[in-house]
Amino acid sequence: MNTLILRRHWRAFAGIAEMTPKFFLAYRAWVWLAFFSQGLSMTIFLFFWRAVYENTDQIGGLNLDQTLTYVLLAQVISLSVWTNVVSNMGHMVREGQIGVEFLRPIDFQWAQYLGGISQLAISLLLNLPLLGLALLYGAQLPTDVRVWIAFLVSLFLGYTVIFLFDWCIACLVFYTTEVWGLMVFLTGVSAFFSGVLIPLVMMPTWLQTIAAALPFSQVVFVPVGLLSGTIPLTEAPARWLTQLIWVIGLAIVSRICFQIASRKVTVQGG
Amino acid sequence: MTHYLSLYGLFLRQRFKILMEYRMNFLIGATSTIILQGASLLTITVVMSQIPHLNGWTLEAIFLIYGLITLAKSINHMFADNLWTIGGQYIRTGMFDRFLVRPVDPLFHLLADRFCHDGIGNFLVGSALVAYAWHALAIPLTVFNLIYLIVMVISGGLIFIALNLITAVSAFWVIESVPVTRAIFDNHLFAQYPLTIYPQAIGILLTWVIPYGFASFYPASYLLGQEVGLLAFLSPIVAIVLLSLSYRFWRFGLRHYAGTGS
């Protein structure tokens, strides 16, 4: 019995493992382009920050090496951390696929979440070449194993926060079917407040307060901050606790939203 | 020429009829870029507020450079966006063959087919940045300067269009040309900042190979009274040379086009 399940799982994983290189080859040009584009922005960041530090030793308590480490790692990691929950849900509602999902004997939200987590892991692995570029440009990786653990835990929790937040937003598609405008708006807000562009500690206090009230920083600034040393290791437990509170709060809200919204569902023809 | 102009007017009127059917999408499309640009501009402002200058450039001077490249980009975005979609939307579907049997230039038809309203957002952002920087830096508001600005922005737009055209021609062979176009296009991001912050090789690249520098850095330097010599006036010539080269390459590609059979 156990071996049977194990074998079945093994076959599923082997299938996925086989798919990945195929996917890579089929979209070769696009994959190279993604690397190229990201490498180009990292190059601009490198020279921009070098020019910034010509006139000063410290900004927001960070020196050039610390800032470069943070910014370059943020560029690599932030490629993987955003979910496509909202566009998926929109697609499923428009196509009528959502009805089928409701019939399945597994919890819809859990299934989507686990899919998202595995996508996160694959995407992080695929973007490893960019980590090489970041190191070449002067990013420094920690040698302390505890820092890596702190990073991975906070990345996992942060992803969960964003997944649940996006789930709440996705519930709106049951009412409007078109949330493109909202998505664009949120992309802009998250670009500024997540910490993809600068370490949030460089912002004036009032902007940092707004950033803390929004969920986006949990998935970029907190994990990348821990990995780059911008946030000291001793703060890790407090950060995890904050993330956990976000997770619990948003988990409850997202379940309620979905309960209410899914009653509203009218599949359009399908 | 007048024939083509009136034809373009007709295309534009039809396009706006479609866009007005979906007013909300029109507004969102036009404003989406404003929000995204806002994030980068706020970031630059936050960083610049903590240092006296960036390699000798003040925040307002950087806004001028950033504004000029954004204006040039918006011209390309509004009037030549179909150079992005030629592979997927026209060649793969066989729609492009339609243009070949019509009594107008196929390139004209391709560009006129879709005015892209998403570019309006960048046009507004660019105009606001240039206007603000112009005022803050007390650049004299003379007739000569205004004409200079307009000529430089149009030249910059044409440089964008020419580079996208050269790369879009690859669609005649590989169908999907977006990765190639994007790989060249993305280099304009360098030209959002003063070229002096980069190593010399990047400066040369952005001046003589992928000349986006003529859309932002050199005109801005001239307006700020920096010594850049003849390069301050070279943009229109670069644009015309590049455009005629890319049009020739387009004709060459067109002769080799055999259709996809779909």
Side-chain angles (χ1 to χ4, degrees):
Chain A
M1 177 65 190
N2 265 343
T3 48
L4 190 71
I5 290 175
L6 205 65
R7 210 195 278 163
R8 208 168 57 205
H9 276 229
W10 168 247
R11 221 184 287 153
F13 283 126
I16 293 170
E18 235 174 274
M19 282 276 291
T20 309
K22 276 188 196 158
F23 170 87
F24 190 87
L25 285 177
Y27 296 93
R28 201 164 37 184
W30 293 99
V31 173
W32 283 119
L33 173 71
F35 282 152
F36 178 81
S37 292
Q38 198 64 19
L40 194 138
S41 355
M42 285 161 71
T43 309
I44 295 174
F45 270 107
L46 172 71
F47 293 115
F48 175 80
W49 284 106
R50 278 194 186 163
V52 165
Y53 276 92
E54 274 169 20
N55 301 307
T56 178
D57 293 329
Q58 290 222 325
I59 299 179
L62 302 178
N63 63 30
L64 175 61
D65 284 340
Q66 290 168 314
T67 302
L68 276 181
T69 296
Y70 175 90
V71 170
L72 293 168
L73 292 178
Q75 283 292 306
V76 177
I77 289 161
S78 67
L79 280 177
S80 307
V81 297
W82 306 109
T83 80
N84 42 19
V85 170
V86 181
S87 58
N88 268 355
M89 194 87 90
H91 183 76
M92 282 191 244
V93 170
R94 274 193 305 274
E95 300 289 317
Q97 173 75 21
I98 194 87
V100 182
E101 297 298 332
F102 284 154
L103 292 174
R104 291 190 205 280
I106 46 170
D107 185 79
F108 179 47
Q109 195 182 21
W110 271 104
Q112 294 286 311
Y113 175 64
L114 292 176
I117 289 286
S118 75
Q119 213 178 329
L120 170 69
I122 291 174
S123 174
L124 283 172
L125 285 177
L126 278 177
N127 286 322
L128 275 182
L130 284 170
L131 188 62
L133 186 67
L135 296 178
L136 191 72
Y137 281 174
Q140 283 148 7
L141 287 178
T143 43
D144 189 343
V145 184
R146 289 172 305 166
V147 176
W148 282 97
I149 294 169
F151 159 70
L152 286 174
V153 171
S154 67
L155 182 68
F156 170 73
L157 285 170
Y159 180 83
T160 313
V161 171
I162 289 301
F163 174 85
L164 293 168
F165 176 77
D166 283 352
W167 192 271
C168 298
I169 301 293
C171 288
L172 291 173
V173 300
F174 288 97
Y175 298 91
T176 61
T177 66
E178 191 57 84
V179 284
W180 182 52
L182 188 64
M183 295 255 301
V184 168
F185 178 72
L186 286 177
T187 310
V189 174
S190 73
F192 187 66
F193 287 110
S194 64
V196 178
L197 299 171
I198 45 168
L200 296 181
V201 286
M202 285 186 185
M203 288 185 179
T205 336
W206 63 277
L207 280 175
Q208 287 191 45
T209 313
I210 299 175
L214 294 167
F216 310 111
S217 63
Q218 303 298 334
V219 77
V220 180
F221 178 64
V222 175
V224 176
L226 284 165
L227 186 66
S228 66
T230 307
I231 302 173
L233 185 63
T234 46
E235 273 185 38
R239 298 285 180 165
W240 290 343
L241 191 67
T242 315
Q243 288 180 310
L244 207 59
I245 294 168
W246 271 102
V247 168
I248 294 168
L250 282 172
I252 296 169
V253 174
S254 72
R255 291 305 271 209
I256 295 171
C257 283
F258 193 69
Q259 278 267 293
I260 298 169
S262 59
R263 272 186 234 137
K264 211 44 206 180
V265 70
T266 16
V267 171
Q268 311 171 330
Chain B
M1 188 67 189
T2 46
H3 170 62
Y4 274 100
L5 271 179
S6 68
L7 213 53
Y8 196 85
L10 282 176
F11 272 105
L12 206 56
R13 217 174 307 152
Q14 292 304 323
R15 176 74 183 149
F16 268 94
K17 275 187 203 159
I18 298 172
L19 289 176
M20 284 304 124
E21 281 294 305
Y22 305 94
R23 247 169 246 265
M24 201 55 207
N25 275 356
F26 175 77
L27 282 175
I28 293 166
T31 48
S32 61
T33 35
I34 299 182
I35 292 164
L36 290 175
Q37 293 281 20
S40 333
L41 290 168
L42 264 174
T43 306
I44 295 172
T45 311
V46 166
V47 174
M48 291 295 291
S49 71
Q50 304 181 41
I51 52 173
H53 56 82
L54 183 79
N55 199 250
W57 303 79
T58 60
L59 176 65
E60 290 78 15
I62 290 174
F63 277 174
L64 183 65
I65 296 174
Y66 200 106
L68 284 173
I69 197 91
T70 307
L71 273 177
K73 180 162 66 172
S74 78
I75 289 179
N76 170 58
H77 198 169
M78 286 189 285
F79 299 107
D81 202 55
N82 262 356
L83 291 174
W84 290 101
T85 56
I86 176 172
Q89 298 281 322
Y90 291 91
I91 290 185
R92 178 169 293 135
T93 58
M95 290 257 281
F96 189 74
D97 301 16
R98 228 171 33 135
F99 297 162
L100 297 176
V101 294
R102 291 193 176 169
V104 286
D105 185 86
L107 180 59
F108 170 81
H109 201 327
L110 176 74
L111 297 185
D113 212 36
R114 192 170 63 95
F115 168 85
C116 185
H117 60 287
D118 294 353
I120 296 173
N122 266 338
F123 184 76
L124 295 176
V125 171
S127 306
L129 283 173
V130 171
Y132 170 74
W134 198 287
H135 177 75
L137 296 162
I139 299 168
L141 195 63
T142 59
V143 178
F144 178 80
N145 274 351
L146 271 181
I147 294 173
Y148 179 82
L149 174 70
I150 293 166
V151 170
M152 289 300 142
V153 167
I154 293 173
S155 305
L158 292 177
I159 290 172
F160 268 92
I161 293 173
L163 288 170
N164 275 14
L165 180 58
I166 290 180
T167 48
V169 171
S170 67
F172 289 129
W173 288 277
V174 298
I175 299 173
E176 187 55 274
S177 57
V178 173
V180 182
T181 304
R182 190 62 205 280
I184 299 297
F185 175 82
D186 272 1
N187 284 282
H188 84 270
L189 296 171
F190 282 115
Q192 287 179 336
Y193 304 100
L195 292 182
T196 52
I197 68 170
Y198 304 111
Q200 220 177 3
I202 294 182
I204 291 169
L205 179 83
L206 270 283
T207 308
W208 301 115
V209 186
I210 312 175
Y212 288 121
F214 287 107
S216 64
F217 176 70
Y218 295 114
S221 301
Y222 172 78
L223 287 170
L224 293 170
Q226 309 252 1
E227 188 49 57
V228 284
L230 261 182
L231 294 174
F233 299 97
L234 221 53
S235 307
I237 299 166
V238 170
I240 289 165
V241 169
L242 207 58
L243 209 54
S244 63
L245 275 177
S246 61
Y247 187 69
R248 252 181 227 181
F249 188 49
W250 162 267
R251 302 284 302 179
F252 171 76
L254 203 56
R255 275 201 301 278
H256 287 258
Y257 172 64
T260 51
S262 53

